[in-house]
Amino acid sequence: MTATPDLGTRTPQLASPDLLRSVFRRHAAGVAVITARGDAGPVGFTATSLTSVSAEPPLLSFGISTGASSWPAISATDHIGVHILGEHQQDLAATFARSGADRFGASTAWRTGPEGVPVLDDVLAWLVCRIVGRVPAGDHRIVLAEVVLGDPTGPGRPLVYHQGRFNGLRD
């Protein structure tokens, strides 16, 4: 006989975009910025969906909406930059998350890195990766990328995203 879970006074909700967003607001995630070279200049966006996929070969993945302003460049490029943000970079994370923001304006310190990828300064770590796949997933694409090179030595503590806000870790 299968036991019926005791949900107390709570009523489960049917699957919906709001349910998924509500649940994932409770999931703390590291904050990264993904960058690429676009036809009209550099592009980038804040991502909390970054995942390590494989150590051999070194692969990672992230999700991007096909409606995102960065998607045309990500869909056409061979290489991307992945930047792990520090808790001192809440403003940078917000800039790259905001639609219509001047993401590579004067307040963003960056340089052109290997493979022409925009590399952000003062991050905890960065990677340049070669895109090896773009997998359809609803209104998004899951991008698979192989690590080419990087630098894991930036100082500081990671920035996390939780309950709709950027935060530092607490001891």
Side-chain angles (χ1 to χ4, degrees):
M1 183 184 225
T2 304
T4 303
D6 180 7
L7 300 175
T9 59
R10 299 182 198 166
T11 303
Q13 299 176 29
L14 293 175
S16 70
D18 286 339
L19 173 62
L20 186 65
R21 281 191 281 275
S22 293
V23 168
F24 273 89
R25 275 189 203 105
R26 300 178 74 91
H27 173 72
V31 180
V33 168
I34 309 298
T35 61
R37 179 179 53 196
D39 289 340
V43 300
F45 65 97
T46 300
T48 56
S49 62
L50 183 66
T51 303
S52 172
V53 173
S54 168
E56 251 336 293
L59 295 172
L60 58 81
S61 71
F62 60 88
I64 180 172
S65 169
T66 56
S69 61
S70 295
W71 171 243
I74 299 291
S75 71
T77 193
D78 292 331
H79 291 85
I80 49 100
V82 176
H83 306 82
I84 307 301
L85 300 190
E87 63 187 357
H88 62 286
Q89 295 178 302
Q90 292 184 18
D91 290 343
L92 184 67
T95 296
F96 276 83
R98 194 171 35 255
S99 181
D102 184 6
R103 296 173 179 162
F104 290 91
S107 65
T108 301
W110 66 282
R111 64 193 180 285
T112 300
E115 303 295 340
V117 171
V119 174
L120 302 177
D121 292 340
D122 199 29
V123 294
L124 294 187
W126 61 268
L127 299 166
V128 170
C129 303
R130 182 177 59 84
I131 294 177
V132 297
R134 295 173 185 88
V135 180
D139 61 356
H140 280 60
R141 294 297 180 269
I142 305 302
V143 177
L144 293 167
E146 183 173 8
V147 175
V148 175
L149 59 91
D151 180 358
T153 62
R157 294 166 46 115
L159 183 63
V160 296
Y161 186 73
H162 181 249
Q163 292 288 34
R165 296 190 338 256
F166 298 113
N167 298 288
L169 291 177
R170 294 187 196 123
D171 289 327

